């Protein structure tokens, strides 16, 4: 052992002992027993091969005693001493001995938590075994939270360690959630002037920047820079890191002036660092050069600029992010010059550097792989391009599912949407030109719109054929999976996130139980989804999946970053490969959305925009399944007219699906079936005490009475809730097992406000509602919100009708059709729902609904054919007060 090591070891022993265990531990660590003194003497003489085993034996002897606290403290003291002496291998063995001791299996003590934390932070996090490091980090954090409390210094440090490990391992959503909550805890418990708070802040901002959210990181880093400069001075690595982070954020945001400003600051701080071998100043100058080139106004880079970029790419002292960005910028220039092979080589280099440095499951790596796919397209290598697109599809999709399926985080939801947008845009444009890529793109587009593992779709296919004693569990898992997907993809409060964790655990438990039951029954697997979809299409059927593709600047999520949006149509026919058509600019199509209010010409324009190019692909079709996307969910498809003035219902039997994989189940249980149960509510008394509540809807009483007669005549056992009896509690009690649910009342969807989710802004009004509707779970307030409805069991419902205003309205969702009542009903298990796109007149809506049920009760009628015939009757003036498109075009039926 070198003299420096002996010195470090001696100093470390004293410092760590005094800080960790007080006077008693200092005496023990200093060698108060003869055996320990002998070990220390051997180590001090440099005889590590003899002294170290001696030390381990003495520590194991101490561990046989009953003083668990002393055992843990001794081990931690010596392990940390070896770490400070730069002997991590020797320290690791001591940590492992300690964690294998009896003391580690006894009552959890704070020192045991510190041991787990230190082993994870100082040893395992430096190596390749991140999963093992995470395991110990979790164990340490759990013990410290229980023994010291969530706001204690050591607990905050342990939580920061776990957050960083999770993010570095690719579990970015859980890591971000933990980092954000730790940021808030540190500020409240330790204060804004504590250096550990600064470290927590820095790591939270770094995680935000790593997923392309620099605008959220900037305010944190600005405060941090000021505090670090004041505390440590300009010649400190802490101040330099904060300046560099701000520069990188502004670079990503496209702000050249601010990026240059902070890179200059980084260089100034680097020059003041005491270490003469530091390359921090050189790195700042390199970033400055890169930024200048990146924002160069010249259409082509000068040779010296290109040479500088190549130098940054090959400079081994450059940060990995710089090497990736330099490679990509140089590739872009070569591609602009038509030198596609050189560009391809640089794209390959960028991907390899990123995968090695940031892992294969990083937004930076996904973006680099997309650049490589584009390079193969430019190099006219369709097979390699398709293989790369498929690889990216698989990796990005699996990563997204894991992130969404384990922890909800608003930043991750935005990032996955951006990454998916750029991927589908490039894949779609490639597939338009390359026929061999169309089946793969069609499958990818369908999956990405649904954004799930396929487990729910597979279970939906199986559920109808399962034994009666297994079916309820399968339906519960289907509902839980849908609820998990929805709530984890949006912004949630800290309290909601705790509920979400319980939901995830429930999903895992119930899914495991169902898997075991299915395995014991040897239930055969259903056919693959693509085969099931193809098998559900008859010779006269056509399925049109409208797909919005969006190209963005980098990984920025703001609307200002959108460069291009186009609408594609994937058309599937019986026994034919999918067809792919480009329908043009999506903003131009969206500009024509107000169909029902602008007359025949607009209706014809919209038909031409959406279906004009599809006439050949739809030839001979009689039944048309449509899967909308984005704003197309707000289109009253029934009001569209072809060039001859015929409405869409006069051309096809139209069925709206929320997702492609809903088709196999949509064609089942699609009509009234005698022996079912129906629950109806209407003619409700909204007053509550002294509060009058919303205005009365007198026609709804007549509506449910007449509909109830029709259903009773069709063999249904009907239950009608009316007046003051139609409360939320009464409805919840009556609805289980109902195959038809019809609610005639007020509906609402409020515009965004107060950060409320769309699931709390949309709902229906029930009896005794009064005037107030606080957005919270309350089964006595008379307001049934989408968030509440999502947790109900509607798995027996073949049809749910919300004969109320704006029940089909919602926000665009990253993981489902439309966030609001339509999504809530589908997640609750409803097979199909009949809703409204806008406010409808009371009497006209009642007459339309009565006519709909009468058609549905006709022999051989399906729900969709009944809706079609009711619309045609209304158009012909056969339904009183419903002949205006404002009434009949408002009703839409979503299936799936």
């Amino acid at each position: 052992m070198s003299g420096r090591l002996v010195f470090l070891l001696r100093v470390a022993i004293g410092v760590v002992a005094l800080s960790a265990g007080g006077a008693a531990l200092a005496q023990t660590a200093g060698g108060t027993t003869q055996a320990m003194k002998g070990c220390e003497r051997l180590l001090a003489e440099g005889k590590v091969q003899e002294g170290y085993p001696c030390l381990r034996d003495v520590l194991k002897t101490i561990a046989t005693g009953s003083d668990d606290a002393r055992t843990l403290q001794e081990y931690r003291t010596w392990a940390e001493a070896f770490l400070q002496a730069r002997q991590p291998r020797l320290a690791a063995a001591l940590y492992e001995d300690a964690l294998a001791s009896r003391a580690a299996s006894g009552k959890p003590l704070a020192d045991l938590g510190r041991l787990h934390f230190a082993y994870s932070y100082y040893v395992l996090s430096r190596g390749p075994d991140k999963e093992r490091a995470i395991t110990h980090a979790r164990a340490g954090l759990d013990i410290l939270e229980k023994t010291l409390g969530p706001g204690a210094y050591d607990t905050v440090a342990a939580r920061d360690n776990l957050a960083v490990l999770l993010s570095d391992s690719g579990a970015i959503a859980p890591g971000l959630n933990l980092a954000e909550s730790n940021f808030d805890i540190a500020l409240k418990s330790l204060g804004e002037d504590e250096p550990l708070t600064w470290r927590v802040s820095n790591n939270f901002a770094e995680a935000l920047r790593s997923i392309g959210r620099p605008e959220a990181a900037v305010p944190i880093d600005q405060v941090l820079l000021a505090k670090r400069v004041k505390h440590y001075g300009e010649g400190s690595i802490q101040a330099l890191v904060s300046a560099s982070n701000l520069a990188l954020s502004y670079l990503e945001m496209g702000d050249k002036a601010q990026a240059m400003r902070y890179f200059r600051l980084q260089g100034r701080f680097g020059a003041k660092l005491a270490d003469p071998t530091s390359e921090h100043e050189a790195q700042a100058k390199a970033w400055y050069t890169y930024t200048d080139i990146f924002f160069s106004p010249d259409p082509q880079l000068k040779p010296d600029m290109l040479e500088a970029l190549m130098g940054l790419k090959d400079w081994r002292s450059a940060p990995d992010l710089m090497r990736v960005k330099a490679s990509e910028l140089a590739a872009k220039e070569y591609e602009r010059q038509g030198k596609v092979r050189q560009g391809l080589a640089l794209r390959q280099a960028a991907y390899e550097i990123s995968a090695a440095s940031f892992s294969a499951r990083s937004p930076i790596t996904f973006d680099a792989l997309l650049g490589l796919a584009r390079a193969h397209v430019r190099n006219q290598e369709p097979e390699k391009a398709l293989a790369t697109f498929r690889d990216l599809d698989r990796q990005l999709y699996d990563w997204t599912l894991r992130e969404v399926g384990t922890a909800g985080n608003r930043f991750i939801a935005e990032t996955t949407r951006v990454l998916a947008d750029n991927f589908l845009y490039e894949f779609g444009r490639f597939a338009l030109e390359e026929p061999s890529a169309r089946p793969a793109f069609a499958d990818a587009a369908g999956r990405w719109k649904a954004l799930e593992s396929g487990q729910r779709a597979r279970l939906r296919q199986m559920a109808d054929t399962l034994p009666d004693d297994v079916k309820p569990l399968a339906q519960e898992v289907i509902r839980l999976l849908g609820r998990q997907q929805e709530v984890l993809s949006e912004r949630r409060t800290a309290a909601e996130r705790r509920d979400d964790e319980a939901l995830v655990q429930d999903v895992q438990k119930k899914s495991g139980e169902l898997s075991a039951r299915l395995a014991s029954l040897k239930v055969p697997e259903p056919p693959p989804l693509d085969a099931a979809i193809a098998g559900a299409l008859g010779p006269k059927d056509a399925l049109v999946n409208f797909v919005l593709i969006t190209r963005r600047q980098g990984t920025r999520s703001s609307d200002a970053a959108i460069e291009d949006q186009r609408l594609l149509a994937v058309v599937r026919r019986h026994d034919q490969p999918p067809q792919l058509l480009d329908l043009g600019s999506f903003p131009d199509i969206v500009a024509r959305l107000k169909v029902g209010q602008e007359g025949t010409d607009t209706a014809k324009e919209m038909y031409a925009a959406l279906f004009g190019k599809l006439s050949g692909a739809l030839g001979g079709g009689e039944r048309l399944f449509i899967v909308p996307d984005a704003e197309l969910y707000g289109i009253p498809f029934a009001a569209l007219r072809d060039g001859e003035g015929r409405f869409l219902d006069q051309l096809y039997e139209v069925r709206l699906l929320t997702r492609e994989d809903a088709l196999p189940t949509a064609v089942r249980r699609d009509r009234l079936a005698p022996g079912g149960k129906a629950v109806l509510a209407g003619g409700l008394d909204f007053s509550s005490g002294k509060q009058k509540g919303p205005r009365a809807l007198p026609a709804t009483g007549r509506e449910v009475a007449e509909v109830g007669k029709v259903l009773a005549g069709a063999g249904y056992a009907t239950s009608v809730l009316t007046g003051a009896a139609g409360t939320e509690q009464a409805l919840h009690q009556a609805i289980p097992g109902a195959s038809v649910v019809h609610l005639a009342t007020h509906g609402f969807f409020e515009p965004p406000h107060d950060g409320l989710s769309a699931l709390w802004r949309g709902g229906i009004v029930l009896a005794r509602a009064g005037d107030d509707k606080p957005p919270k779970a309350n089964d006595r307030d008379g307001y049934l919100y989408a968030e509440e409805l999502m947790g109900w069991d509607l798995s027996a419902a073949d049809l749910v009708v919300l004969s109320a205003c704006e029940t089909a309205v919602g926000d665009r969702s990253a993981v489902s059709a439309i966030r609001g009542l339509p999504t809530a009903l589908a997640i609750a298990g409803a097979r199909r729902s009949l809703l409204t796109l806008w406010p409808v007149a009371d009497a006209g809506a009642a007459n339309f609904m009565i006519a709909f049920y009468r058609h549905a009760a006709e022999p051989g009628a399906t729900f969709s054919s009944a809706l079609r015939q009711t619309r045609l009757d209304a158009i012909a003036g056969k339904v009183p007060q419903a002949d205006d498109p404002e009434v009949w075009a408002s009703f839409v039926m979503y299936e799936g």
Side-chain angles (χ1 to χ4, degrees), residues 754-791:
D754 300 328
L756 281 179
S757 160
L759 296 171
W760 284 115
R761 290 187 278 112
I764 58 173
V765 187
L766 296 172
R768 301 180 183 177
D771 295 322
D772 298 323
K773 48 179 187 298
K776 62 181 180 180
N778 183 348
D779 62 0
R780 296 178 182 273
D781 63 359
Y783 290 88
L784 179 55
Y785 295 93
E787 174 84 19
E788 296 175 295
L789 186 56
M790 185 170 56

Side-chain angles (χ1 to χ4, degrees), residues 411-466:
F411 300 114
I412 283 292
E414 292 172 1
T415 296
T416 54
R417 183 72 263 167
V418 170
L419 292 169
D421 280 347
N422 286 340
F423 159 69
L424 286 173
Y425 182 91
E426 297 297 342
F427 197 5
R429 296 305 296 264
F430 171 60
L432 285 169
E433 300 297 326
E434 178 54 49
S436 66
R438 289 171 192 166
F441 173 76
D443 292 343
R447 279 186 293 99
W448 275 101
K449 285 178 69 173
L451 196 57
E452 66 168 46
S453 64
Q455 185 181 2
R456 280 177 70 210
R458 182 178 65 85
L459 289 176
R460 279 197 298 266
Q461 285 183 262
M462 299 168 61
D464 292 339
T465 61
L466 291 175

Side-chain angles (χ1 to χ4, degrees), residues 456-499:
R456 280 177 70 210
R458 182 178 65 85
L459 289 176
R460 279 197 298 266
Q461 285 183 262
M462 299 168 61
D464 292 339
T465 61
L466 291 175
D468 290 342
D469 62 333
V470 181
K471 187 181 298 184
L473 179 58
Q475 291 169 336
E476 183 180 10
V477 171
I478 292 170
R479 295 194 306 275
L480 287 171
L481 286 168
R483 191 175 178 189
Q484 171 183 264
Q485 179 199 41
E486 192 65 29
V487 302
L488 295 186
S489 66
E490 66 168 348
R491 181 173 185 169
R492 309 285 283 177
T493 65
E496 287 173 326
R497 286 205 296 266
R498 285 193 292 271
D499 292 339

Side-chain angles (χ1 to χ4, degrees), residues 455 473 477 506-518:
Q455 185 181 2
L473 179 58
V477 171
D506 201 16
V507 170
Q508 293 171 344
K509 177 184 176 183
K510 297 294 184 181
S511 294
E513 292 176 7
L514 179 60
S515 296
R517 294 292 303 277
L518 295 178

Side-chain angles (χ1 to χ4, degrees), residues 740-754:
V740 173
V741 178
H742 184 99
L743 309 178
T745 181
H746 284 291
F748 60 90
F749 185 77
E750 298 176 352
H753 64 90
D754 300 328

Side-chain angles (χ1 to χ4, degrees), residues 248 283 287 290 312-328 349-359 364:
L248 291 172
Q283 288 180 1
W287 273 121
Y290 172 86
L312 294 179
K313 165 191 167 290
D314 297 326
W315 183 33
R316 296 302 170 183
S317 295
D320 294 320
L321 180 63
M322 180 190 295
R323 296 179 62 215
V324 172
K325 286 183 171 294
S327 299
E328 291 177 331
Y351 170 65
E352 290 174 356
I353 295 169
S354 183
S357 303
F358 305 106
S359 88
I364 299 170

